[in-house]
């Protein structure tokens, strides 16, 4: 991924009313997220699971700061029903942070989720949303975005959950299964940001996440 392609992707996102920033690494991403959080001064903050986002270290910082309440729907000390309830509450958070499965050079964003707790707050609810994506998430168009999700993101994500029994857990390739453990249930593509600037997309010039 060249600098020119990163810039072109960022410009396409801006034309579609996303606030967009390019940073060199996860440390710069952390600094950018922190500055936005401090400027927004939210009362409630939450997040959707993302290896890229966690790599920035922002969750530890949010957890250690007493200026807001952090809704953590991934606390391993909670039962699954308790975690799901927290994720429901995240829909009403003031600020939400997560990652993206694929970003196109046309300026659109793409996800495929199991429960939908990551994509629902991105679409509506929180007043401010911050999304992070490594350069490896950038693809040409919608077709390549779907292919990336099916061939890379979904099979590698299921590998993180050894208790899930799906065909892709064995083959490493999406089989469009009907397994009870299927994690590919809800697809979302975001074509434009409304209202303008509600979503900040941070493109990181590193290969990160799934």
């Amino acid at each position: 991924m060249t600098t020119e392609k990163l810039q072109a992707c960022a410009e396409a996102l801006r034309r579609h009313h996303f606030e967009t920033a390019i940073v060199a690494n996860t440390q710069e991403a952390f600094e950018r997220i922190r500055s936005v959080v401090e400027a927004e001064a939210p009362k409630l903050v939450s997040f959707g699971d993302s290896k890229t986002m966690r790599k920035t270290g922002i969750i530890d910082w949010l957890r250690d700061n007493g200026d807001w309440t952090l809704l953590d729907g991934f606390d391993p000390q909670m039962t699954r029903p308790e975690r799901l309830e927290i994720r429901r509450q995240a829909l009403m958070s003031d600020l939400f942070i997560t990652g993206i499965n694929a970003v196109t050079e046309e300026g659109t964003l793409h996800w495929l989720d199991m429960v939908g707790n990551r994509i629902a707050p991105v679409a509506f609810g929180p007043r401010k949303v911050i999304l992070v994506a490594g350069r490896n998430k950038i693809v040409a168009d919608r077709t390549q975005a779907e292919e990336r999700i099916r061939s890379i993101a979904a099979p590698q994500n299921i590998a993180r959950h050894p208790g899930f029994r799906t065909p892709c857990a064995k083959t490493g390739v999406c089989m469009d299964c009907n397994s009870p453990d299927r994690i590919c249930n809800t697809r979302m593509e975001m074509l434009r940001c409304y209202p303008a600037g509600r979503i900040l997309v941070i493109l990181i010039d590193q290969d990160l996440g799934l």
Side-chain angles (χ1 to χ4, degrees):
M1 178 65 61
T2 65
T3 301
E4 290 77 12
K5 283 192 174 183
L6 275 171
Q7 292 285 357
C9 182
E11 285 302 321
L13 288 166
R14 291 183 187 116
R15 286 195 298 273
H16 291 171
H17 315 302
F18 295 94
E19 183 183 355
T20 311
I22 298 174
V23 298
N25 50 51
T26 53
Q27 179 59 38
E28 288 189 13
F30 168 80
E31 296 296 342
R32 184 60 184 262
I33 298 170
R34 182 176 68 176
S35 68
V36 173
V37 174
E38 291 175 341
E40 292 288 327
K43 293 182 179 179
L44 287 177
V45 181
S46 194
F47 61 95
D49 201 21
S50 161
K51 291 185 69 176
T52 303
M53 177 206 62
R54 289 183 183 277
K55 195 74 173 178
T56 68
I58 194 63
I59 299 304
D60 290 337
W61 178 77
L62 288 169
R63 187 174 286 116
D64 292 341
N65 195 304
D67 292 339
W68 43 74
T69 298
L70 179 65
L71 300 175
D72 184 354
F74 299 89
D75 187 342
Q77 296 182 358
M78 293 182 176
T79 64
R80 181 167 175 77
E82 288 172 334
R83 292 196 299 269
L84 288 174
E85 179 58 28
I86 293 294
R87 295 176 198 181
R88 287 181 64 250
Q89 295 173 17
L91 288 163
M92 293 302 293
S93 60
D94 299 303
L95 187 143
F96 188 80
I97 309 171
T98 192
I100 316 170
N101 288 140
V103 184
T104 73
E105 294 175 21
E106 298 172 340
T108 61
L109 310 178
H110 301 258
W111 294 264
L112 190 58
D113 269 14
M114 181 181 187
V115 179
N117 64 284
R118 179 174 58 158
I119 58 179
V122 173
F124 182 76
R127 294 178 178 85
K128 187 68 176 181
V129 174
I130 302 174
L131 305 175
V132 292
R135 64 192 177 193
N136 52 310
K137 303 292 183 70
I138 299 175
V139 296
D141 53 28
R142 178 184 184 182
T143 299
Q144 287 194 14
E146 292 181 357
E147 178 59 28
R148 184 187 190 283
I149 292 169
R150 285 171 55 87
S151 64
I152 299 175
Q156 290 187 16
N157 191 29
I158 202 71
R160 299 169 58 206
H161 303 88
F164 283 51
R165 298 180 180 180
T166 63
C168 67
K170 295 182 178 180
T171 66
V173 178
C174 176
M175 306 298 291
D176 194 18
C177 72
N178 200 35
S179 166
D181 289 335
R182 177 183 169 117
I183 65 170
C184 303
N185 297 321
T186 305
R187 183 186 302 278
M188 184 173 83
E189 58 180 5
M190 186 162 280
L191 309 179
R192 301 291 189 276
C193 178
Y194 183 84
R198 171 179 172 262
I199 296 174
L200 166 63
V201 180
I202 300 176
L203 302 176
I204 307 172
D205 194 8
Q206 290 179 308
D207 292 341
L208 296 162
L210 303 180

